[in-house]
Amino acid sequence: MADSTINLETGLTTADGKPLKQALAHAQSRSRRRAFFLVLPLLLFILVTFILPIGQMLHRSVYNDGFTTHHNLGTRVDTPIMVNLAAWFDENPQGVVPDEAAYGALVTDLIELKRLKAPGSAGTRINYGLAGSRSLFTQAARKAKKLEAPYMEALIGLNKKWENPKLWQVMRSASSSYTGAFYLAAVDRTQDASGDVEKVEENRRVYVKLFVRTLLVSLLITFLTFILAYPIAHLLATLPLRYSNLLMIFVLLPFWTSLLVRTTSWMILLQSQGVLNDAMVGSGLLDEANRIQMMYNKTGTIVAMTHILLPFMVLPLYSVMRPINPSYVRAARSLGATSWTAFRRIYFPQTVPGIGAGALLVFILAVGYYITPALVGGADGTLISNLIAFHMTKSLNWSMAAALASLLLGGILILYWLYDRLVGIDNLKLG
């Protein structure tokens, strides 16, 4: 700080005559700017790699213009489609039965779809809400030019599905690029012909079931990793350093092995003709006909993911156990406390920050895992992340994948908020 002097008129001043208060404010402002520019690269990195992708995902979950815009990849020109039908929807409120004008607008748009070679894209968008619609659009577009008035009878004569009220409801919803239909579908809900929200058919209620299964499996894996990691971390923390470092290598060994290798190793161990079943049959514990099915079900998913995520629970626990002074427990026992009481009231509370950190790490990682469940889980061990990956890579319904991912992200944030309210995020310790 610059030397200061006392001026009877202005009070404390620096050596160059500036008021001390103003000089301090200027120095603090300069320090804040320097700190901001130091962290600016990190902020830009987080913005580009984290904030923007999440924002794009949230936007995609409510935006899909496949029914209103044709994207010509060759010319990179976007052409509005289904404009006549969209105009009819705008002029007629929800619940109005489609009339001859509606069918005439639809035929006009089908002719334009045929010219643009875009009936498949428009049909695909409707197919997201009503299965079998893509072929309906491609078939009608091929014959649209030959259709004559009355267009209602012509289209229904071509395929009776055109009079399905559910189809018209889906088209009404898709006529706007922004829609909440994907969020409704993500919780096994849909809109009926009058626009009221209702549950989908029993055989199509899969998303809520997968969300619940993902939550329960992730909680179970978190609990199992805690049960296994606590004694391991305690042993590492109490052993002499030369021995604990050697054992730490075995804890970290999974990090040095490919995830795919670890998963396929469990496939070899757990399958019906695998190592574990062969060992139990060879030792007489099982009959040949009674081999245990541990693969392509929930058991395989839980076993493999518990092993893979175990280090993420061990390391935070070890980081809080190592600094704990063992004399605290000895002092409690010397004052008459039992071993269990000393552990429960003295040792365990000091490890809670590590437990919270490990539980958050394991749970969040388990919720988002999809490679291991896809390889060892089968149909019974599939998690919601596998369905998100399916919509991204197979069905190409990116809006549905984004809606599912957004709900998953929202659920995790709610659990994080509950953890902060009940335990306190300030008590979390990663190392």
Side-chain angles (χ1 to χ4, degrees):
M1 182 184 299
D3 294 337
S4 61
T5 60
I6 299 179
N7 188 309
L8 296 178
E9 295 182 358
T10 61
L12 288 175
T13 61
T14 62
D16 55 1
K18 293 182 179 180
L20 182 60
K21 184 177 181 181
Q22 180 181 348
L24 287 174
H26 180 70
Q28 290 176 353
S29 176
R30 185 171 61 247
S31 177
R32 285 194 294 267
R33 285 197 302 270
R34 185 185 300 114
F36 173 75
F37 284 117
L38 285 174
V39 301
L40 183 60
L42 177 61
L43 291 176
L44 291 176
F45 177 79
I46 293 175
L47 177 67
V48 172
T49 63
F50 185 72
I51 303 299
L52 289 180
I54 289 181
Q56 188 178 29
M57 177 191 72
L58 294 174
H59 179 260
R60 172 59 69 176
S61 67
V62 295
Y63 179 82
N64 192 307
D65 61 350
F67 192 66
T68 58
T69 305
H70 171 57
H71 303 283
N72 193 320
L73 300 180
T75 60
R76 297 183 180 274
V77 175
D78 295 340
T79 306
I81 55 175
M82 308 304 294
V83 291
N84 296 285
L85 186 61
W88 186 88
F89 285 135
D90 290 337
E91 295 170 1
N92 294 272
Q94 188 87 25
V96 174
V97 178
D99 54 11
E100 177 64 19
Y103 280 91
L106 176 58
V107 171
T108 303
D109 289 335
L110 288 172
I111 295 173
E112 181 65 11
L113 287 179
K114 175 63 176 177
R115 186 186 70 82
L116 295 172
K117 300 180 180 179
S121 60
T124 298
R125 171 62 184 89
I126 304 303
N127 197 72
Y128 294 153
L130 185 65
S133 301
R134 191 180 190 279
S135 60
L136 191 65
F137 273 78
T138 55
Q139 177 195 35
R142 286 196 303 267
K143 302 179 180 180
K145 276 190 174 182
K146 300 179 181 179
L147 298 178
E148 298 178 353
Y151 294 114
M152 179 185 294
E153 294 181 7
L155 272 176
I156 295 175
L158 189 64
N159 195 313
K160 289 188 176 297
K161 291 182 180 180
W162 285 112
E163 64 179 344
N164 185 356
K166 173 64 177 176
L167 173 64
W168 284 89
Q169 172 57 40
V170 174
M171 289 194 295
R172 179 184 288 275
S173 176
S175 63
S176 172
S177 298
Y178 289 91
T179 175
F182 294 104
Y183 280 102
L184 285 178
V187 292
D188 295 334
R189 299 294 190 274
T190 187
Q191 287 183 305
D192 59 17
S194 60
D196 297 328
V197 177
E198 62 179 7
K199 289 184 177 181
V200 299
E201 295 82 356
E202 185 71 30
N203 60 347
R204 294 179 57 198
R205 298 175 191 173
V206 294
Y207 297 116
V208 172
K209 178 182 177 181
L210 284 179
F211 273 117
V212 173
R213 179 191 294 173
T214 301
L215 175 63
L216 295 179
V217 168
S218 300
L219 289 174
L220 179 59
I221 291 171
T222 303
F223 176 74
L224 291 176
T225 53
F226 165 70
I227 295 298
L228 295 172
Y230 203 93
I232 296 174
H234 178 71
L235 180 64
L236 291 171
T238 54
L239 282 175
L241 194 59
R242 63 179 181 272
Y243 296 118
S244 65
N245 287 339
L246 179 62
L247 293 178
M248 183 63 74
I249 294 176
F250 293 101
V251 174
L252 296 176
L253 191 60
F255 286 118
W256 305 335
T257 308
S258 169
L259 174 63
L260 189 60
V261 172
R262 283 178 280 167
T263 303
T264 51
S265 298
W266 277 112
M267 295 173 68
I268 296 172
L269 289 171
L270 298 177
Q271 61 184 311
S272 298
Q273 303 297 324
V275 176
L276 291 180
N277 271 295
D278 286 346
M280 287 186 286
V281 171
S283 62
L285 295 176
L286 288 178
D287 295 331
E288 182 67 33
N290 296 323
R291 288 175 176 263
I292 302 176
Q293 182 64 33
M294 294 180 286
M295 270 289 297
Y296 306 118
N297 54 26
K298 197 181 299 183
T299 301
T301 298
I302 293 172
V303 171
M305 289 181 62
T306 299
H307 166 256
I308 291 170
L309 297 176
L310 183 60
F312 293 97
M313 182 67 78
V314 173
L315 296 177
L317 286 173
Y318 172 75
S319 70
V320 299
M321 289 180 176
R322 192 74 187 181
I324 295 177
N325 196 329
S327 62
Y328 297 160
V329 175
R330 289 198 298 267
R333 295 184 65 182
S334 68
L335 293 174
T338 63
S339 298
W340 168 246
T341 302
F343 170 78
R344 179 172 55 86
R345 301 187 63 178
I346 304 299
Y347 189 82
F348 184 80
Q350 297 181 77
T351 64
V352 169
I355 296 172
L360 277 180
L361 279 174
V362 172
F363 179 80
I364 291 175
L365 289 172
V367 164
Y369 251 62
Y370 73 94
I371 295 177
T372 302
L375 293 177
V376 304
D380 190 38
T382 299
L383 303 182
I384 193 64
S385 53
N386 300 114
L387 211 54
I388 294 174
F390 168 78
H391 285 305
M392 287 294 294
T393 60
K394 299 293 177 59
S395 71
L396 301 181
N397 189 352
W398 293 354
S399 295
M400 189 67 204
L404 292 171
S406 299
L407 290 178
L408 187 62
L409 175 63
I412 292 175
L413 291 177
I414 290 173
L415 291 175
Y416 183 83
W417 176 79
L418 289 175
Y419 175 87
D420 183 40
R421 298 286 293 180
L422 298 175
V423 179
I425 200 63
D426 294 336
N427 294 324
L428 185 144
K429 186 174 180 181
L430 292 172

